[in-house]
Amino acid sequence: MKIVQLKKEVNSDFKYISEPQNLKFPLVLVFGSRLILENETIFYKVKSLFPDGHIVFGSTAGTITSKTVDDTSVVITAIEFERSTFIVKKSTVLSPTKNIVNSINVGRELISKFPTQNLKHIFIVSEGSFINGSQLTVGLNSVPINNLRITGALCGDASRFEKTLCSYNEAPKEGEVIAIGFYGDRLEVTSASNGGWIPFGPTRKVTKSKENILYQIDDKPALDLYKKYLGDKSKELPAAALLFPLSVTVKNSKKPVTRTILSIDEKNSTMLLAGEIPEGSSVQLMMTNVDQILSASESATQKAINQRKNNPELAILVSCIGRKLVLDQRVEEEVEEVQSVVGNTTFISGLYSYGEIAPFDDENECQLHNQTIAVTLISE
């Protein structure tokens, strides 16, 4: 495997941040600021650097490399596989009239496009503004493929939450879901995820909801109850919601998932969550601190390493914007925790996202997570 990385700041061109190499038919991951990706020349600049590349764009709430975490740049990670292959497929989430398409069907359609022989792993780069991420994962899980694991990200837009962009072999745009399938006998891909958030306060029941809109908890307006438990922090809503997500345990499920509150509706006392929250679910508020976040990053990476026979050549990190807000000026320490486990010879690429796609550690079916780091390690 050969890997090169380049970085572009707002008012500069792309510059190598690793040793330049000539790559043949590489997979080119382009993660970065939505404001830069909107520039109509960006696709042609990347195409000029990698004319035979398979180029996947994704907007972020921050780019990740082994050297920096950055809000205002675009990072290219180009990978030439020497003993393995990959296939890239895409589906459109929005109709031409911008009506929302059934997200389950999008996931089902996307996964069914891949030949299954020797398929080792799928990595998702999805738009993050319109998609119902939890329904997308239901669709992705609907076609059973032995031992297949799926990881990935819902794209971000810093803390603006205006729109997200992604694409495959064309200029970045809204409404796309990209899937990269990895194949090969020599290919080794492992993954793990962890949050580091701790539930607190009483467990309550969701008594009224619709998809990812939460209306009532314990027959009371959800937003009113949320504000009560936040106390003085409620004055900082909606930004404070990223620091106090919900632990959600769906009926008949043993494992809770963490859900970020994306926005609030003061008029109707409702909250919009980043994933579904079915009626009958149990919920608790969650909190964390810097040390717990960093410990979770190290733990997830170690779990992914423990599954491996060989050292990873590439680590793809997907971490949540909420974690970034908690870490603040110590955000680069999250990458340092990962690097301390994988070693200095492993390339690191990634993004801060609006949602993380990964299985629970002892399962194969993927889930939508929030406030989590998902680590995917690749070698051949």
Side-chain angles (χ1 to χ4, degrees):
M1 182 183 294
K2 297 179 181 178
I3 302 173
V4 299
Q5 287 186 315
L6 302 91
K7 183 175 181 180
K8 172 181 168 54
E9 305 288 353
V10 175
N11 296 314
S12 70
D13 208 345
F14 282 104
K15 297 178 181 178
Y16 281 92
I17 55 176
S18 70
E19 192 69 26
Q21 296 186 71
N22 292 321
L23 305 183
K24 297 179 181 178
F25 305 105
L27 172 63
V28 183
L29 303 176
V30 188
F31 298 143
S33 165
R34 186 262 296 178
L35 300 179
I36 299 178
L37 293 186
E38 282 183 315
N39 190 307
E40 59 186 17
T41 66
I42 190 72
F43 171 71
Y44 300 102
K45 288 182 178 179
V46 178
K47 188 69 175 175
S48 68
L49 291 166
F50 302 98
D52 58 356
H54 296 263
I55 305 170
V56 176
F57 288 92
S59 64
T60 77
T63 58
I64 299 172
T65 70
S66 60
K67 302 181 187 305
T68 59
V69 173
D70 199 331
D71 292 326
T72 58
S73 68
V74 171
V75 173
I76 296 174
T77 303
I79 310 117
E80 177 188 325
F81 292 91
E82 299 173 282
R83 305 180 187 90
S84 312
T85 58
F86 63 90
I87 297 174
V88 184
K89 301 292 184 181
K90 68 176 182 180
S91 291
T92 300
V93 181
L94 301 180
S95 69
T97 57
K98 292 202 171 184
N99 293 323
I100 298 177
V101 175
N102 185 303
S103 298
I104 295 177
N105 289 344
V106 170
R108 184 182 295 119
E109 172 197 339
L110 196 54
I111 197 73
S112 65
K113 292 179 179 181
F114 287 92
T116 59
Q117 186 174 357
N118 272 337
L119 178 58
K120 292 293 184 66
H121 194 90
I122 287 179
F123 190 84
I124 302 292
V125 180
S126 171
E127 80 87 34
S129 299
F130 303 103
I131 195 78
N132 183 321
S134 45
Q135 287 191 359
L136 175 68
T137 61
V138 170
L140 292 170
N141 291 329
S142 65
V143 180
I145 301 172
N146 286 341
N147 299 318
L148 176 69
R149 284 191 147 205
I150 300 172
T151 57
L154 304 187
C155 291
D157 180 28
S159 56
R160 290 180 290 266
F161 292 96
E162 294 172 355
K163 61 180 176 179
T164 63
L165 307 175
C166 60
S167 66
Y168 169 53
N169 277 351
E170 60 179 330
K173 60 182 181 178
E174 296 181 82
E176 298 288 297
V177 182
I178 314 299
I180 308 163
F182 296 96
Y183 295 80
D185 292 331
R186 298 286 298 273
L187 189 69
E188 186 178 20
V189 186
T190 59
S191 64
S193 62
N194 205 338
W197 296 77
I198 300 173
F200 72 95
T203 300
R204 298 184 178 274
K205 186 177 181 179
V206 175
T207 49
K208 185 178 179 182
S209 63
K210 182 179 180 182
E211 295 182 350
N212 61 335
I213 302 174
L214 179 56
Y215 292 92
Q216 292 183 357
I217 300 173
D218 287 348
D219 296 314
K220 298 177 182 178
L223 182 57
D224 293 351
L225 197 60
Y226 191 71
K227 284 183 175 181
K228 176 183 175 181
Y229 278 96
L230 287 188
D232 290 341
K233 284 285 185 181
S234 64
K235 299 174 184 177
E236 300 172 25
L237 286 170
L242 287 168
L243 304 178
F244 295 93
L246 292 178
S247 172
V248 180
T249 304
V250 179
K251 210 171 181 179
N252 300 322
S253 175
K254 296 179 181 179
K255 296 181 179 180
V257 293
T258 305
R259 287 285 172 261
T260 295
I261 295 136
L262 294 180
S263 62
I264 61 175
D265 184 338
E266 293 277 5
K267 181 179 179 181
N268 297 305
S269 289
T270 62
M271 302 188 294
L272 181 71
L273 276 69
E276 286 196 345
I277 184 163
E279 289 183 3
S281 301
S282 299
V283 296
Q284 269 185 292
L285 278 171
M286 304 185 80
M287 61 183 178
T288 192
N289 58 43
V290 169
D291 290 338
Q292 289 168 344
I293 290 283
L294 296 176
S295 177
S297 302
E298 186 274 338
S299 176
T301 311
Q302 192 62 59
K303 288 177 183 177
I305 281 285
N306 291 345
Q307 301 167 37
R308 304 185 61 80
K309 296 178 182 178
N310 302 300
N311 292 331
E313 297 173 85
L314 174 67
I316 303 178
L317 311 184
V318 181
S319 188
C320 182
I321 181 177
R323 298 166 65 83
K324 185 167 176 281
L325 293 176
V326 172
L327 291 169
D328 195 19
Q329 294 185 18
R330 295 179 62 184
V331 66
E332 291 184 0
E333 291 183 36
E334 181 166 48
V335 184
E336 291 170 5
E337 290 291 334
V338 173
Q339 190 88 69
S340 70
V341 177
V342 300
N344 293 328
T345 60
T346 301
F347 277 84
I348 291 178
S349 174
L351 67 154
Y352 281 91
S353 73
Y354 285 175
E356 303 77 56
I357 295 172
F360 288 117
D361 290 342
D362 56 350
E363 298 178 2
N364 282 331
E365 289 193 347
C366 64
Q367 308 284 340
L368 175 70
H369 303 270
N370 299 129
Q371 307 289 14
T372 296
I373 185 170
V375 179
T376 304
L377 305 179
I378 304 175
S379 65
E380 60 172 354

